[in-house]
Amino acid sequence: MKEIGKIIAEFPKSPESLIPILQEIQEQYNYLSEENIKEVSEKLDLPLQHVFSVATFYNVFSLRPKGRNIVKVCMGSACHVRGSNRILEEIERKLNIKNNETSADGRFSLETVNCLGACALGPIMVVNKEFKGHLTPSEVSKLISQELIEEKS
Ligand code: FES
């Protein structure tokens, strides 16, 4: 994992660098800590309030630690009519967490999104960056079990 100072140093000291820097920190650490936000604010010479508002405005950023694996379930209308509710319930049951929660062991975070742009494949979930389409609750159960096993090893 890259140090925050190194990440910041890779970008020009300019307000335009704020979002790319926050993205890189989010990518590396899975969230933006208060300490990291302060460091970005100081090094870019931007008001702390401004950096916080950018970090809270975009939902790609998280101020809370996320799990090592991010599971996203599409709840857009096309996926919804094809049963995404049942998919979400199955994942919640399997991981023992609710939407927008992270498992106590820090392995999984569960989120919902509105449309992933692949409606014909619905219902869809994305595990990290991998799309899984045409899901049924039993397939989901199998996929999550595999993820649990692979993530452990
Ligand atoms: S509604 Fe789910 S991908 Fe579009």
Side-chain angles (χ1 to χ4, degrees):
M1 219 181 290
K2 266 191 238 167
E3 282 172 31
I4 301 299
K6 281 191 183 157
I7 294 174
I8 298 171
E10 285 172 0
F11 295 87
K13 188 180 171 180
S14 119
E16 285 77 52
S17 298
L18 177 59
I19 291 179
I21 289 172
L22 295 180
Q23 281 174 323
E24 182 69 26
I25 297 172
Q26 175 74 44
E27 178 95 358
Q28 294 273 329
Y29 291 83
N30 256 346
Y31 82 114
L32 306 172
S33 71
E34 201 177 318
E35 208 174 89
N36 296 160
I37 288 176
K38 278 185 190 153
E39 192 169 344
V40 171
S41 150
E42 281 162 19
K43 298 234 164 97
L44 287 185
D45 225 355
L46 291 171
L48 184 58
Q49 187 55 43
H50 174 66
V51 180
F52 261 112
S53 44
V54 170
T56 50
F57 180 77
Y58 296 101
N59 61 8
V60 68
F61 300 129
S62 170
L63 302 187
R64 284 178 294 138
K66 286 195 182 186
R68 293 189 294 280
N69 301 284
I70 312 288
V71 179
K72 293 182 182 176
V73 182
C74 180
M75 301 302 281
S77 18
C79 287
H80 181 76
V81 296
R82 293 184 175 129
S84 56
N85 274 341
R86 289 184 303 127
I87 302 300
L88 181 64
E89 281 166 18
E90 184 61 23
I91 299 170
E92 287 178 334
R93 193 187 63 77
K94 202 78 189 171
L95 295 178
N96 200 22
I97 52 175
K98 294 283 178 201
N99 183 23
N100 284 323
E101 287 183 357
T102 296
S103 58
D105 58 7
R107 291 166 70 190
F108 290 91
S109 287
L110 177 59
E111 298 174 1
T112 56
V113 290
N114 281 329
C115 180
L116 290 160
C119 308
L121 300 178
I124 295 181
M125 72 173 181
V126 181
V127 180
N128 299 320
K129 288 178 180 161
E130 205 176 318
F131 275 65
K132 321 236 183 222
H134 298 304
L135 292 168
T136 63
S138 64
E139 280 165 345
V140 165
S141 177
K142 235 188 286 166
L143 286 166
I144 293 289
S145 300
Q146 271 169 14
E147 290 294 330
L148 287 165
I149 293 163
E150 282 168 21
E151 210 273 334
K152 217 173 202 173
S153 51

